[in-house]
Amino acid sequence: MDMSTEIGDGVIMDYFVSMLLIGIGVALLATGLFTSYFGAGKSQKIGLGLLVTGILAIIITYILTFEAGTGVTTQFDDGVFMDALVSGISALAGMIIGMFVILFVLMKVDTVDDLEDLDLEDLEDLDLDEELKKLEKELNADSSGEEE
Amino acid sequence: MAETSEIAISMLIVGSALSMLLMGLLISYYGSSKTRNVGILFLALGIALMYYVTSMAYDSVVFMNSILAFVGGMLGGIIGIVIFLVAIIKS
């Protein structure tokens, strides 16, 4: 497979930078939502700040990509941006599906037989009353030693 | 511009292969007996999926550009979380 890219043809700008901005925006939006909802006092204010910054990052990326009627010259090709967005979302969805498959298989596989390696016979032979008496004796001996 | 379905399917496979590779590595290293075997299976499956997606009869330039977009998105997400952590820790 030829692993060459069209670098120099605006690829870094259209694919990488646009998705970088979207990534920052989504991460700030998500963390800001959580912090502003669950936080209290100063943390809540920081959360609101992060939320607003995230929304701004997404809006700026939108304005730089599509003709939004703001008079700003677009920096990213809208068709390429959509391809980049589809690839990013697809890869994330693939990662989530992969994780679910792994978790499902791990939960279905009977890993309890690892306990067979343990020698449970020793535990069965253990006389708990006797062990308790021994412990009491040791404790009594320690406490009498401290009093002296 | 490439066919959107081609991009979506190939990146879906790349994403699942990546998670299987990483999780397979972790499980096969830290797991014991049966769990370790499952980890090795996932590792092999991840490698096979990666091999399949790179050897697919598909426009390589578009594929590499999609990878570039995915890396950009992931990096953006990491930067966003770092900004969040810095803001919370500094307060």
Side-chain angles (χ1 to χ4, degrees), chain A residues 111-146:
Chain A
T111 51
V112 181
D113 67 351
D114 292 350
L115 292 173
E116 283 173 5
D117 301 339
L118 286 173
D119 194 6
L120 295 172
E121 283 178 5
D122 288 345
L123 284 173
E124 284 167 5
D125 294 339
L126 210 66
D127 190 348
L128 287 174
D129 286 338
E130 210 169 289
E131 291 293 319
L132 203 64
K133 277 175 190 170
K134 273 184 195 174
L135 275 172
E136 275 178 349
K137 271 182 191 175
E138 280 174 19
L139 280 170
N140 287 334
D142 284 346
S143 59
S144 61
E146 281 173 10

Side-chain angles (χ1 to χ4, degrees), chain B residues 37-86:
Chain B
N37 292 340
V38 173
I40 292 165
L41 186 81
F42 277 123
L43 196 62
L45 196 65
I47 292 166
L49 278 174
M50 266 307 187
Y51 177 75
Y52 170 72
V53 85
T54 49
S55 61
M56 235 166 39
Y58 166 62
D59 190 353
S60 64
V61 173
V62 174
F63 177 70
M64 289 309 287
N65 289 341
S66 303
I67 294 282
L68 195 68
F70 172 58
V71 172
M74 291 291 276
L75 211 65
I78 292 166
I79 291 168
I81 289 167
V82 169
I83 291 169
F84 161 73
L85 286 175
V86 168

Side-chain angles (χ1 to χ4, degrees), chain A residues 79-129:
Chain A
V80 173
F81 174 79
M82 286 313 289
D83 280 353
L85 199 66
V86 165
S87 66
I89 291 169
S90 304
L92 269 179
M95 284 186 90
I96 292 165
I97 290 167
M99 294 275 186
F100 268 108
V101 169
I102 289 164
L103 285 176
F104 182 77
V105 172
L106 277 180
M107 281 192 283
K108 281 284 170 192
V109 169
D110 184 24
T111 51
V112 181
D113 67 351
D114 292 350
L115 292 173
E116 283 173 5
D117 301 339
L118 286 173
D119 194 6
L120 295 172
E121 283 178 5
D122 288 345
L123 284 173
E124 284 167 5
D125 294 339
L126 210 66
D127 190 348
L128 287 174
D129 286 338

